[in-house]
Amino acid sequence: MDLNAIWFLLVGVLIIGYAILDGFDLGIGSLFYLLGKTEDEKKTLINSIGPVWDGNEVWLLTGGGALFAAFPFVYATVFSGFYLAMMLVLFGLIFRAIGIEYYFKSDDDKQIQGLLGKMFFIGSFLPALLFGVAVGNVVVGIPLDEAQNYAGNFFGLLNPYALCLGIVGLLGFLLQGSTYTAIKTEGALQKRAVGFANTFCWSLLVAWILGGVATYLFAPHMFTNYSAMPVLYALPILTLVCMASIPFFLKAAAYGKAFIASSLVIATKVLTIAGGLFPNLVISTNTEHLTIYNASSTELTLTVMLIIAVIGVPIVLVYTGYVYYVFRGKATPERQGY
């Protein structure tokens, strides 16, 4: 395996880490009004992610930084082409941060607190939907000019296939959020989360199958690697197996196992798409695709970054594990947490 392939794998790992960890944050925010029926329940939901949500976003920054350093042409094409969509995601994440940080500080003004709750919801729902839409466009292909710049417009990104993958991504985040809520809460809130987890699990199963059919019709190039290496079909099959196992874990009140299965669903979804894309990074509908070879940095840059990653990633993993260990247990509505 050469350096370019290693960095394709590492960027994929960072994306998976972000999707799993911030996935339950985005899911809980998107379900804020469906899960939280009382003020105490809403505060419990915010407290369940309060100690970890900003740390989870570090994975997004790290993934973006790794993409910029390892594959700068892809970074330039995607971020300039999806500029308006990226701004919507950015504003969403800012709104979410404000909503989380100031919700408890506005107990004396219910009108402001209501506004902060809406910011938390909108700031979670928008990124949860748009991340999948962006992936859909990368998979189905986008028009590029001779300088490898995006040659379309914002509304061209909202094509039916990309929206289909956006729904698949959104349902994955909702499932992740509801299973995490089942772990961190008790009573009526926990029971409600289990009900939603079952609903989203079966909905995602249907959406995943329909997404596969849509990919066969609109992005048949994604099956080239699968035809050459049939063993890759184990990835989407594993996704289906994990989805099918979640209702049984929920019925047995094994909420930790349900969350792990949901996390594996997200991981195998990303790996399934990566298996179809490799070695491409951005599919072009009219020019040469951007690949891990024609869009990469120099070998020296990739080597230096790999040394930094080998040292830094274990430290991040250990620190992340320590934070989750410290804040283990059930969340409560009190500001001090649990």
Side-chain angles (χ1 to χ4, degrees), residues 15 19 34 49 119 130 137 141 154 184 210 214 219 261 268 271 288 311:
I15 292 173
L34 289 176
I49 63 172
M119 292 174 70
L130 291 177
N137 279 288
F154 172 72
K184 301 298 289 184
L210 292 177
T268 52
L271 290 173
E288 185 181 11
I311 297 172

Side-chain angles (χ1 to χ4, degrees), residues 22-298:
D22 213 33
F24 65 74
D25 293 353
L26 297 173
I28 288 175
S30 300
L31 295 169
F32 188 56
Y33 291 106
L34 289 176
L35 285 173
K37 296 300 183 185
T38 66
E39 193 56 40
D40 276 354
E41 288 179 347
K42 290 175 181 175
K43 289 183 175 179
T44 300
L45 288 171
I46 293 179
N47 264 342
S48 70
I49 63 172
V52 297
W53 73 270
D54 43 0
N56 293 340
E57 288 194 352
V58 170
W59 288 81
L60 177 63
L61 299 176
T62 307
L67 185 67
F68 171 72
F71 305 109
F73 294 106
V74 172
Y75 183 92
T77 297
V78 171
F79 278 71
S80 61
F82 300 171
Y83 190 76
L84 185 53
M86 291 293 180
M87 286 297 104
L88 287 174
V89 170
L90 181 60
F91 280 118
L93 295 177
I94 293 172
F95 287 164
R96 185 173 68 130
I98 295 172
I100 294 173
E101 293 297 332
Y102 288 94
Y103 194 84
F104 285 89
K105 298 177 181 177
S106 56
D107 277 337
D108 296 334
D109 192 332
K110 294 303 176 186
Q111 190 172 1
I112 295 296
Q113 194 169 55
L115 176 63
L116 291 168
K118 290 181 175 64
M119 292 174 70
F120 177 45
F121 164 71
I122 294 172
S124 301
F125 181 82
L126 266 182
L129 176 66
L130 291 177
F131 282 140
V133 173
V135 171
N137 279 288
V138 169
V139 168
V140 77
I142 55 176
L144 301 178
D145 61 20
E146 293 180 353
Q148 296 180 326
N149 295 316
Y150 175 57
N153 56 47
F154 172 72
F155 294 103
L157 300 175
L158 303 178
N159 57 79
Y161 178 78
L163 291 173
C164 176
L165 257 62
I167 292 172
V168 172
L170 174 63
L171 287 172
F173 289 141
L174 296 179
L175 175 61
Q176 188 77 341
S178 52
T179 54
Y180 186 79
T181 302
I183 296 175
K184 301 298 289 184
T185 61
E186 299 174 295
L189 180 54
Q190 184 186 58
K191 186 177 180 181
R192 207 173 296 130
V194 171
F196 278 119
N198 272 305
T199 301
F200 293 132
C201 182
W202 294 116
S203 301
L204 178 59
L205 183 64
V206 173
W208 180 244
I209 294 172
L210 292 177
V213 174
T215 302
Y216 181 78
L217 295 175
F218 295 101
H221 52 269
M222 291 292 288
F223 288 87
T224 302
N225 289 341
Y226 285 86
S227 298
M229 298 179 63
V231 68
L232 290 174
Y233 280 105
L235 293 171
I237 291 174
L238 184 58
T239 307
L240 294 173
V241 170
C242 290
M243 282 187 213
S245 70
I246 292 174
F248 294 99
F249 290 137
L250 293 172
K251 188 176 181 180
Y255 304 131
K257 292 179 180 177
F259 177 73
I260 292 172
S262 174
S263 300
L264 287 174
V265 167
I266 289 179
T268 52
K269 280 199 305 181
V270 175
L271 290 173
T272 297
I273 294 171
L277 275 178
F278 185 85
N280 301 310
L281 291 167
V282 175
I283 301 295
S284 171
T285 57
N286 57 333
T287 62
E288 185 181 11
H289 303 327
L290 294 179
T291 73
I292 61 172
Y293 298 107
N294 66 14
S296 73
S297 295
T298 64

